Amino acid sequence: MSDSRTPVVFIHGLWLHSSSWQPWVELFHENGYEPITPGWPGEATTVEESRAAPDDVADKSLTEVVDYMKTVVAGLEREPIIIGHSFGGLITELLMGEGLGVAGVAIDPAQIKGVLPLPLAQLRAGFPGLGNPANIHKAVSLTSEQFRFGFGNAISQEESDALYNAWNIPSPAKPLFEVAAGNFNPHAANKADTRNEGRGPLLLIAGGKDHTAPEVTTKAAFKLYRHSTAVTEFTDFEDRGHSLAIDAGWRDVAESVLAWLKAQGL
């Protein structure tokens, strides 16, 4: 890793492979950063291998994934920028709450503890995992129709299917159950320190048509940071769904992140 380049840790969420960040990796490298894309614990190096071995990620908890990402951050020569999408956005908020990372960007993040809105669309998007209590110890796959509702509702059927075929992988259902019960658990795995005043700047990004992490839940998370003097900002892409980081409009989101980072002097 070049000493002159700030590392950027890209963290994906459920049902996408780490390689889905590749367009962002290329853009951020061109802009002088050193991107890395760690997969979740047990995740294979390719989409095909991940699909062939779902049991390798089964029963992984949110805490296990967060702890793994802490080891990734600790192993870097310089403190990184952390950028996450969906559950990766939630993980970004948890890491930033612990003072890790010089800055963080949470794109369509899954809920931190304390977020109360629970839209019906979000319940439907999470149903493939949450619909069967026995799934808590399993890895769950989406059908192309479920992917279309949860990720690709704001794009064409053709593009949604192409993204599904390119990046969709089985994922552990346990984190879904942990977040669903988070507001009833005093030791919830999704409890972020929203009052940390010593952390770096944090940007929350929402998609106005997102079913999986609806705009209202990201706005509710943003309000939880009001007691911290650390920089916390919110922006939204009104016509975008949960696929906003990987679909044809990904560059609009990525360039807005780059502009925000430069505004923070990073």
Side-chain angles (χ1 to χ4, degrees):
M1 182 178 293
S2 171
D3 289 340
S4 64
R5 287 177 173 262
T6 299
V8 181
V9 178
F10 288 101
I11 306 174
H12 69 81
L14 296 176
W15 297 309
L16 292 179
H17 191 266
S18 60
S19 57
S20 62
W21 284 114
Q22 190 56 36
W24 289 68
V25 167
E26 295 171 4
L27 179 63
F28 271 67
H29 193 270
E30 291 170 3
N31 280 270
Y33 299 95
E34 190 67 28
I36 61 171
T37 57
W40 284 29
E43 182 180 316
T45 55
T46 68
V47 171
E48 291 75 16
E49 292 170 322
S50 297
R51 290 172 178 166
D55 289 346
D56 289 352
V57 298
D59 210 27
K60 300 295 184 190
S61 69
L62 177 58
T63 298
E64 287 180 88
V65 181
V66 171
D67 286 345
Y68 176 74
M69 294 303 169
K70 288 180 184 177
T71 67
V72 171
V73 171
L76 300 173
E77 295 179 4
R78 297 180 59 184
E79 196 172 7
I81 296 163
I82 304 171
I83 299 176
H85 172 249
S86 195
F87 261 84
L90 166 60
I91 293 167
T92 298
E93 291 186 73
L94 296 175
L95 296 177
M96 292 294 294
E98 295 191 28
L100 301 176
V102 293
V105 180
I107 305 169
D108 290 345
Q111 288 105 314
I112 58 174
K113 179 180 172 67
V115 171
L116 300 180
L118 189 60
L120 290 176
Q122 186 177 35
L123 287 172
R124 179 178 167 186
F127 189 78
L130 296 172
N132 183 351
N135 285 340
I136 191 170
H137 299 297
K138 299 178 180 179
V140 175
S141 299
L142 298 181
T143 65
S144 59
E145 291 78 14
Q146 290 166 339
F147 185 89
R148 166 73 164 162
F149 182 83
F151 284 78
N153 61 291
I155 57 178
S156 69
Q157 180 74 57
E158 182 180 14
E159 183 177 7
S160 179
D161 289 346
L163 294 175
Y164 175 81
N165 291 330
W167 309 121
N168 180 246
I169 62 171
S171 292
K174 181 174 283 187
L176 283 169
F177 286 89
E178 292 174 310
V179 169
N183 286 336
F184 307 100
N185 180 359
H187 306 291
N190 65 330
K191 185 178 181 179
D193 185 356
T194 57
R195 294 175 178 262
N196 184 345
E197 298 185 351
R199 63 163 170 79
L202 174 65
L203 174 64
L204 303 181
I205 298 178
K209 295 185 177 180
D210 194 328
H211 285 165
T212 298
E215 181 182 48
V216 65
T217 65
T218 305
K219 286 182 175 179
F222 176 62
K223 291 179 181 178
L224 293 177
Y225 288 95
R226 66 188 180 277
H227 298 296
S228 173
T229 59
V231 173
T232 311
E233 298 184 10
F234 171 87
T235 190
D236 66 346
F237 288 81
E238 295 181 356
D239 295 326
R240 306 295 296 280
H242 202 59
S243 67
L244 81 175
I246 59 170
D247 61 33
W250 71 269
R251 184 179 286 270
D252 293 337
V253 183
E255 289 182 345
S256 75
V257 172
L258 283 170
W260 182 82
L261 289 171
K262 293 184 186 304
Q264 309 308 313
L266 296 168

